[in-house]
Amino acid sequence: MNSENGPKGAGINRRRLLQTGTAGITLMMSGLSARRLSAQDASGQVIIGFSQEPTVMHPHMPHIEVDEGIHFNIFDPLFTVDPEGKFQPALVTEVPTVENGGISEDGLNWRIKLRDDVTWHDGEPFSAKDVKFTIELQQDPNFGAMRRTGHELVRNIQIVNDHELTWEMESPFAPYPAILSWTFMVPEHILGGAEDPNQTDFRNDPVGTGAFKFGERVAGNYILLNANTEYFGDGPYLEKAIFRYIPDMTVLYTQFRTGDIDVIGLQGIQPDRYEQAQQIEGRTVVKMPSATVESISFNTEAPQFKDPEVRRALSLALDRNSIVEAIYYGIPQSTESFLPKESFYYNQDLPVAEYDVAKAAEVLDAAGWMPGADGIREKDGVRLSFKNSTTAGNSVREQAQQFIQQTYASIGVDMQISNLPPAVMWGEYWMMSQFDSVMVGINYTTGPDPDVSNYLSSDGISAQGGAGQNTWQYHNDKVDELLKKGGSLFVPEERKVVYDEIQMLVHEDRPFLPIFQYANLRGHKSDLEGFMANVNVRIETWNVGQWRWS
């Protein structure tokens, strides 16, 4: 039982909820105070505070990470990914691998075996038809799918029986298991007959197989999920899960502190409140790893940055430890790679970046970049002067920019801060490599998979006619070769050798300078069990079905 939200302090208990029914809950939640909203009793509900409002209930339409906090609880994928990056069966009886024969050794033929005890929330049985429909929906050119990568390669889906199906891949694609772990199954019997797959009631009234059923949504306020008592897996252990939208970060934190919400999610607790939050009685604050990596990134086609010795010198003059400790309160961890340290594929042997301003100056001297009349270095008519951009309004990152600017100035490098509104920053300025340098945080991977072709392959340079986000315009033939090889291997140990080498090459080339791997600060009431950090998913409410009050 959650004593702080029990009957004596809240005003709404389980009996009252059951008496009022859904309409009553709506009225109470819409019209009563936030204090009453936090009511619950031993039988269980949880109130999760989000700083962004979930909007898209259909899991395959374009959406942002907060929507997945709902998707994970209404729907199931064939298999999910645990915090260690291992796939675990969900709707399948076993995760297909080369070893168990679910995937052929050449990666081209797949066999999927499904559970036979799964039903949709409306009582209809889940079957192989639903899997076929879900994959083919991603391939439908008339459907505005969130993701087609990987699904586009699937051919000749054959339904063997209600609980087994096979398909072929046009070419081996090792990241596909990771993509499937994010692909929630949707019902063929509801969506299959839609004239326009983009315009269905499903967007606002979803039906899944997950631990919770969709209850109701009050726009601008909350989304209510009810327990699926027929769920095939363990749980759920709570009767209701309520996702409240609280856009003001100060109000969000205050409601976490006072107990009006049970869980503070998404953007969570701000770094400057971390120490205070840890002192709140009855609260547990969790520093959760994130796969996002903060870096200073260079446009390697800009004349200043074509010289690798310039990038090396700027790395030597980058005081990563001070940025992490003084500006980010020591919360994130320094890193040398674009992969998260929790990944099986993280290269532990990467050399730690050295901070040595005097050596940085020596490198520039040796490379022929000498101070001009105004003290700024130059070579062959090119001044070592450049703009650095990020999205305007991020005060912590702007402090880091100013700190770096001062250090670089000390070695004769002129870094001008030129921040932009997000809509401008992430438009052609970023995608078409119109910047000199940027300071950004990027999640390079798809779940636990190490494939980063979208960011590091020369085919991914949009400014040169490619399709991807290699906005650094980074080109290394050996990296290209290794990325193709890594994407075709299905044995993790064999893939790791390839991605270790890719990380080492990128570390030496320095198209960007990794500074730290993000850590998110989440908090929950201490008597809530089952809250589990998972670096391989984008949202902390990935497993509410396992939550319970002690």
Side-chain angles (χ1 to χ4, degrees):
M1 175 176 177
N2 180 1
S3 58
E4 288 200 43
N5 279 338
K8 67 179 180 180
I12 303 174
N13 58 26
R14 176 173 177 265
R15 177 176 300 175
R16 188 174 171 193
L17 279 172
L18 295 176
Q19 288 173 339
T20 55
T22 303
I25 294 170
T26 304
L27 178 61
M28 288 191 292
M29 297 189 67
S30 301
L32 298 184
S33 67
R35 181 62 184 162
R36 285 189 171 190
L37 191 62
S38 68
Q40 67 164 52
D41 63 12
S43 59
Q45 70 177 28
V46 65
I47 299 178
I48 301 153
F50 277 167
S51 54
Q52 296 178 21
E53 184 178 14
T55 55
V56 182
M57 299 295 102
H58 194 314
H60 300 307
M61 301 195 77
H63 60 264
I64 55 177
E65 61 184 344
V66 66
D67 299 315
E68 293 175 10
I70 305 296
H71 300 164
F72 266 107
N73 297 294
I74 294 179
F75 302 96
D76 290 297
L78 294 176
F79 42 87
T80 189
V81 58
D82 68 16
E84 285 71 45
K86 298 177 181 176
F87 297 119
Q88 301 295 341
L91 294 171
V92 296
T93 56
E94 64 178 0
V95 178
T97 63
V98 173
E99 290 74 17
N100 64 26
I103 303 174
S104 62
E105 289 190 3
D106 61 7
L108 295 176
N109 296 290
W110 289 55
R111 178 174 294 273
I112 301 291
K113 296 179 180 178
L114 305 173
R115 296 177 66 113
D116 61 3
D117 57 350
V118 181
T119 58
W120 294 99
H121 292 160
D122 62 2
E124 290 294 316
F126 165 77
S127 76
K129 288 192 300 183
D130 298 305
V131 180
K132 183 174 189 289
F133 172 76
T134 299
I135 293 174
E136 290 180 343
L137 181 64
Q138 323 296 314
Q139 301 172 329
D140 184 350
N142 297 315
F143 179 58
M146 172 75 176
R147 176 184 289 115
R148 299 193 198 281
T149 303
H151 301 305
E152 292 179 324
L153 300 175
V154 177
R155 301 283 184 273
N156 192 27
I157 301 176
Q158 296 292 322
I159 294 177
V160 178
N161 56 52
D162 283 350
H163 304 112
E164 188 172 345
L165 70 161
T166 63
W167 68 70
E168 300 168 0
M169 300 292 290
E170 182 178 289
S171 58
F173 190 57
Y176 199 46
I179 292 170
L180 283 176
S181 76
W182 286 4
T183 302
F184 298 104
M185 295 297 115
V186 292
E188 187 272 344
H189 69 278
I190 293 178
L191 292 171
E195 290 186 12
D196 182 352
N198 303 290
Q199 302 294 331
T200 64
D201 293 340
F202 198 78
R203 295 177 303 167
N204 300 312
D205 189 17
V207 174
T209 59
F212 287 91
K213 299 179 179 180
F214 180 75
E216 65 175 351
R217 175 186 173 195
V218 176
N221 195 343
Y222 69 92
I223 291 173
L224 170 67
L225 304 185
N226 296 310
N228 173 16
T229 57
E230 304 299 322
Y231 188 53
F232 63 88
D234 293 334
Y237 302 105
L238 299 169
E239 285 188 301
K240 299 181 185 301
I242 300 163
F243 296 80
R244 286 202 58 210
Y245 168 48
I246 306 169
D248 187 305
M249 295 296 292
T250 298
V251 175
L252 181 65
Y253 176 73
T254 298
Q255 293 203 8
F256 171 66
R257 181 171 54 80
T258 60
D260 290 323
I261 59 173
D262 302 313
V263 178
I264 181 170
L266 205 60
Q267 291 181 306
I269 299 164
Q270 299 295 287
D272 58 351
R273 292 186 173 122
Y274 181 42
E275 186 173 341
Q276 180 193 65
Q278 290 177 297
Q279 307 306 316
I280 302 174
E281 187 176 353
R283 305 291 183 276
T284 298
V285 174
V286 183
K287 188 163 67 172
M288 300 174 66
S290 165
T292 299
V293 173
E294 182 85 348
S295 67
I296 290 283
S297 299
F298 307 115
N299 181 349
T300 61
E301 285 297 312
Q304 306 93 324
F305 301 125
K306 279 192 171 183
D307 185 347
E309 290 301 280
V310 168
R311 305 197 296 269
R312 179 184 169 211
L314 294 182
S315 178
L316 284 163
L318 182 61
D319 187 355
R320 296 166 175 82
N321 287 337
S322 292
I323 292 171
V324 169
E325 296 299 328
I327 299 177
Y328 285 88
Y329 295 80
I331 292 171
Q333 55 180 336
S334 298
T335 188
E336 309 299 334
S337 176
F338 48 84
L339 293 182
K341 292 190 174 182
E342 293 77 8
S343 170
F344 170 76
Y345 299 95
Y346 182 84
N347 186 344
Q348 303 284 350
D349 297 326
L350 293 174
V352 175
E354 185 180 2
Y355 173 58
D356 189 330
V357 174
K359 190 173 181 180
E362 292 173 5
V363 168
L364 292 174
D365 288 342
W369 291 88
M370 305 307 291
D374 59 356
I376 304 303
R377 293 176 182 268
E378 58 186 35
K379 178 182 178 181
D380 299 332
V382 176
R383 280 165 51 85
L384 198 40
S385 174
F386 59 90
K387 292 180 180 177
N388 183 265
S389 303
T390 191
T391 51
N394 186 329
S395 60
V396 178
R397 186 181 274 159
E398 287 171 354
Q399 290 177 39
Q401 285 178 303
Q402 292 162 11
F403 177 73
I404 295 168
Q405 181 184 48
Q406 294 172 12
T407 310
Y408 282 178
S410 71
I411 59 170
V413 174
D414 176 33
M415 184 179 106
Q416 302 161 21
I417 298 172
S418 178
N419 295 337
L420 302 165
V424 177
M425 175 78 186
W426 301 123
E428 291 200 347
Y429 188 76
W430 166 253
M431 290 301 300
M432 301 306 289
S433 306
Q434 295 175 351
F435 57 86
D436 293 337
S437 72
V438 293
M439 191 170 190
V440 293
I442 296 176
N443 184 338
Y444 293 83
T445 59
T446 300
D449 196 89
D451 181 65
V452 288
S453 300
N454 190 46
Y455 288 98
L456 295 177
S457 166
S458 58
D459 293 339
I461 304 174
S462 296
Q464 297 180 23
Q469 291 200 55
N470 183 353
T471 58
W472 307 276
Q473 304 199 68
Y474 174 59
H475 188 162
N476 181 317
D477 289 340
K478 183 63 177 176
V479 170
D480 283 346
E481 175 187 330
L482 290 169
L483 286 170
K484 290 179 180 176
K485 182 178 180 180
S488 66
L489 298 175
F490 283 79
V491 178
E493 288 73 17
E494 294 177 3
R495 296 187 78 195
K496 179 166 173 54
V497 174
V498 173
Y499 288 96
D500 278 354
E501 188 174 356
I502 293 173
Q503 289 171 80
M504 188 65 76
L505 289 170
V506 174
H507 188 274
E508 293 169 355
D509 288 343
R510 302 182 183 86
F512 50 84
L513 308 178
I515 301 174
F516 59 79
Q517 179 186 339
Y518 274 78
N520 298 320
L521 301 177
R522 308 291 193 245
H524 59 84
K525 288 179 177 171
S526 299
D527 47 359
L528 181 67
E529 299 177 344
F531 188 92
M532 191 180 301
N534 189 343
V535 71
N536 302 300
V537 299
R538 298 203 302 171
I539 196 75
E540 65 280 326
T541 56
W542 68 286
N543 71 331
V544 180
Q546 298 299 304
W547 294 5
R548 70 180 89 188
W549 295 110
S550 60

